[in-house]
Amino acid sequence: ERHHRSVKPHPTGLILAPYARSGLETLREATRALGSQRGGPKESLVLWASILPAMAIMPEALRIFKSAYPKVLIKLKSGESENIIRRLNDGEFDVALVGMRQISPELSTEIIGHDELCLLATDEMCGQMEGPPQSLEEIVDWPLIMREEGSGTKAAFLKSFAKRPDLLPKLNIAAEVEGLLPAVALARGGLGAVVISGLAARTDWLLTGMRLIPLGFMGSGRNFYLIRRKSHQPSPAAKEFIKIVKGLASAGNRQSSNLS
C-alpha cells in the first residue's frame, strides 16, 4: 500500500510473507542437498559449540565427518551456551552443541550426553587444601575461578546449591573470568581452582600438569545438548554430522563415568 511518503505491506501480504520465507528456505536446502550429492556448488556446514564440546567433541567428530564429506566447507564457531542459543533462534546456522537447555517451540533439543562437574587445580593447590572437597560445605573453602554469566558450566554449578542457598554468599571467589582458557591459565598460575565439566578428561593437553577432581556430591551434574531449528530440514551433510557426534558423545559419557 503506497502512501504519500511511505509504503507498508498489505494485510494479504503479511499473511503470505511467512509462507514465502519458508518456501525460499526450502529451496535453498534442496539446492544444498543436491549439490552435496552431485559434486555441485560447494556446501557449507555451519556449526556452533560451547567451549568444551568445541575442544573435546568437535575435533574427532569433524575428522570422521571430513572423511565422508571431503568437499563440504566446515565453519565452526564457539561461544557461551546462552549466546549460541539466541543466535540459533535467529536462524544464523545449522546445528549447535551446548551445555545449557533451552525450551523453545522453534528448536529441537536432544540430550547427547550427561556429565559431572569437576574442579581443575594444581597439585600444589590440592596440597594446600588438604585433599579434595567431599561436600558443598567443604567446597566453599576453595578459592574458585568462576566463569562469566551465560556459561552452562557456571549455571550448573550454582544450581547445585539450590538446597543450600545459604552457602552461596560464602563461596570464595578469587576471580571471575570470561572464557575457559583464560580461567584455566589462572588456575595453572595457582590463583584458584576452576569449575569445569568432566568432558575435559577427553582433552589431554588441557589437563597437563593439573588435577581433575570429580564433584559427584554436587548432584546430578549437567547435560550436553544438540540443538537445531525445527523448521530447518538438515542437509545430508548435517544429518551425517549429527549421527557422528551422537556416537562420540555416547562413548565420551562412558569414559567420564570411569573418572575417579
Side-chain angles (χ1 to χ4, degrees):
E1 294 181 343
R2 294 183 179 274
H3 298 272
H4 180 58
R5 292 186 177 180
S6 65
V7 178
K8 70 176 184 178
H10 189 276
T12 305
L14 293 175
I15 295 173
L16 176 62
Y19 295 97
R21 293 191 187 98
S22 177
L24 289 171
E25 179 67 17
T26 300
L27 181 60
R28 284 193 292 268
E29 291 169 1
T31 301
R32 291 194 314 168
L34 289 172
S36 67
Q37 293 298 309
R38 297 176 180 175
K42 192 165 188 177
E43 181 183 354
S44 294
L45 180 62
V46 184
L47 307 167
W48 276 74
S50 54
I51 306 301
L52 266 172
M55 295 193 303
I57 295 178
M58 284 296 190
E60 180 67 6
L62 293 180
R63 182 190 67 79
I64 297 172
F65 171 84
K66 198 67 174 178
S67 66
Y69 285 83
K71 294 184 178 180
V72 174
L73 176 62
I74 298 167
K75 297 181 179 181
L76 173 62
K77 299 183 180 182
S78 183
E80 298 304 334
S81 296
E82 192 173 85
N83 180 50
I84 292 172
I85 292 169
R86 182 173 62 252
R87 301 185 73 153
L88 182 60
N89 267 316
D90 292 339
E92 294 187 25
F93 51 95
D94 302 320
V95 182
L97 301 180
V98 297
M100 181 183 294
R101 187 181 182 190
Q102 175 69 25
I103 300 176
S104 169
E106 289 80 26
L107 296 182
S108 169
T109 303
E110 183 176 357
I111 296 175
I112 59 167
H114 183 77
D115 201 7
E116 69 176 6
L117 296 177
C118 299
L119 281 183
L120 187 66
T122 61
D123 286 336
E124 182 180 0
M125 174 67 66
C126 294
Q128 292 173 355
M129 301 307 299
E130 299 181 354
Q134 302 295 328
S135 66
L136 292 177
E137 289 82 356
E138 291 184 14
I139 204 171
V140 300
D141 295 328
W142 281 65
L144 299 176
I145 300 166
M146 297 294 290
R147 298 281 303 283
E148 70 278 21
E149 295 300 324
S151 162
T153 301
K154 180 177 182 178
F157 177 76
L158 296 179
K159 185 178 178 180
S160 298
F161 287 85
K163 294 182 178 180
R164 291 297 311 272
D166 58 298
L167 293 177
L168 284 175
K170 299 179 181 180
L171 286 173
N172 181 8
I173 308 299
E176 292 186 355
V177 185
E178 183 171 344
L180 174 63
L181 294 182
V184 171
L186 293 184
R188 288 185 181 280
L191 187 64
V194 61
V195 179
I196 197 169
S197 168
L199 193 63
R202 298 179 61 187
T203 312
D204 292 341
W205 59 268
L206 190 69
L207 303 182
T208 302
M210 302 290 283
R211 186 182 300 183
L212 192 66
I213 306 168
L215 301 175
F217 60 84
M218 298 199 72
S220 58
R222 63 180 299 198
N223 293 321
F224 287 94
Y225 303 89
L226 187 148
I227 57 175
R228 60 184 180 85
R229 286 178 291 152
K230 291 179 179 178
S231 62
H232 184 81
Q233 179 63 30
S235 66
K239 289 180 180 178
E240 179 68 16
F241 171 79
I242 291 170
K243 178 181 176 182
I244 290 169
V245 81
K246 285 181 181 179
L248 288 177
S250 177
N253 290 334
R254 291 194 294 269
Q255 180 177 346
S256 294
S257 67
N258 292 328
L259 283 174
S260 59

